[in-house]
Amino acid sequence: MGRPRLMTLIGTRPEIVKMSPLIPRFDEEFDHILVHSGQHYSANMDAVFFEDLELRRPDHMLEVGSHPPGKQTALILAAVEGLLAELGPVALVVHGDTNTTLAGGLAAAKRSTTALVHVEAGARSGNPKQAEEINRQIVDRVTDIHFVPYERDLKNLQAEGIPTDRAYVTGNTVIASCLRASTLDGAERILDSHGIAAGRYALATYHRQEAVDDAATLRGICAAIDEVSKRLPVILPLHPRTRKMMEQYGISFASAAVTVTEPVGYRQMIALLSNARFCLTDSGGLMEEAGVLRVPGLILRRETEHVRYVESGIHALVGTDFDTISHEAERLSDDAEHRDRVNAAPSNAGIDPVERIMGQLRAELS
Ligand code: UD1
């Protein structure tokens, strides 16, 4: 009997990053087909991550591109449905909470012969209005094999009445992605190129719909970044959604100490993050990476599905309000003891999510 045929669907920056440690392992052990939806397509949101993470090219590029969420999901769903029918894999692996994840999940759910595998299952922000929360809940409902990062995520599934006899606690694969990237060379130059010194700047990123689509919220965050930069220079690799909305609302930074760049590649991002005094972010991936690298974070959200590092005190949930962000950033800029507390907090570096997932998947599909 040949090796089981496995299909993996990716489509956005976080999926490429977080699936990157698994893809070469899937290639080794399964008859593996890698599919890219094309939800992200710009060189700096897509190709650079394949280069930085030394990933092979996908076997199928769906080239769906940007559309309103319903249409984007529908186009990916129809295309994946066609590929599943043509290639008949025994399982489809999706990751996380994007429109690509939802589309792949629904396509597999319609086929009794293809098991749906969800990596980073069970994470919940508790905000039912959030696009990613809706995607996660729907996909977990139809998933056959759940790989959940932490115990709490398993409990979330149980609380929703989702069967967990095929749910496995594995740790988050982003741990492997960022630890590997932090050992790759060629990253340090980015500090020099922006004239910033290790430990003497803050790194900011924000792109979520609830942070950037509303003018008043986005204006408040940008004003707070301006304020933070009075004490510490801020470097801000700008997501295309954020750039588009800032232009639309006529928002810009007053301070010359805010350096806005295009989105950066993965090695550069990990270099910027690991050398930052602290980060301000609404990204779940960056939050987890900052936790692993022990860089304190101010999380620009009211709730998060990645509670681990908030509970351990490395990160603080500060929302999107100008006064709270400015106040907390001031506290972090001045508080040398916080660094010691962060260094003492438990780390996830000892967990090997890739081996845990491979072991369970091998057993499930053999
Ligand atoms: C998506 C995910 C989000 C994830 C984020 C990472 C959903 C619902 N959201 O949000 O969970 O954190 O990816 O980046 O799927 N654009 C480009 N080039 C690209 C891709 C997008 O310029 O390669 C621009 C387009 O104007 C597009 C906008 O960014 O309309 C938003 O892209 P989209 O993929 O719809 O959502 P993200 O905000 O990136």
Side-chain angles (χ1 to χ4, degrees), residues 262-324:
E262 290 295 317
V264 297
Y266 197 60
R267 294 185 195 199
Q268 294 194 334
M269 195 56 161
I270 294 300
L272 282 175
L273 178 63
S274 55
N275 289 295
R277 174 94 59 92
F278 61 89
C279 64
L280 304 107
T281 188
D282 65 358
S283 155
L286 200 80
M287 207 179 147
E288 183 100 17
E289 286 152 354
V292 173
L293 299 168
R294 295 170 184 272
V295 175
L298 298 181
I299 309 308
L300 306 173
R301 298 176 64 188
R302 283 185 202 88
E303 69 286 306
T304 174
E305 50 288 273
H306 305 286
V307 285
R308 190 173 184 82
Y309 297 102
V310 175
E311 286 175 343
S312 69
I314 296 188
H315 300 333
L317 276 179
V318 295
T320 54
D321 169 63
F322 172 86
D323 288 331
T324 318

Side-chain angles (χ1 to χ4, degrees), residues 14 39-42 45 66 98-99 132 207 239-241 244:
Q39 178 172 345
H40 285 173
Y41 47 84
S42 304
M45 296 291 289
S66 294
T98 70
N99 294 335
E132 287 81 1
H207 70 279
H239 187 284
R241 177 186 284 274
K244 188 167 77 177

Side-chain angles (χ1 to χ4, degrees), residues 47-73:
V48 67
F49 291 86
F50 280 83
E51 279 161 36
D52 277 5
L53 294 157
E54 295 170 347
L55 269 187
R56 64 140 169 132
R57 297 306 301 166
D59 302 300
H60 297 270
M61 302 285 287
L62 306 181
E63 295 182 356
V64 162
S66 294
H67 299 280
K71 182 172 178 186
Q72 186 175 57
T73 306

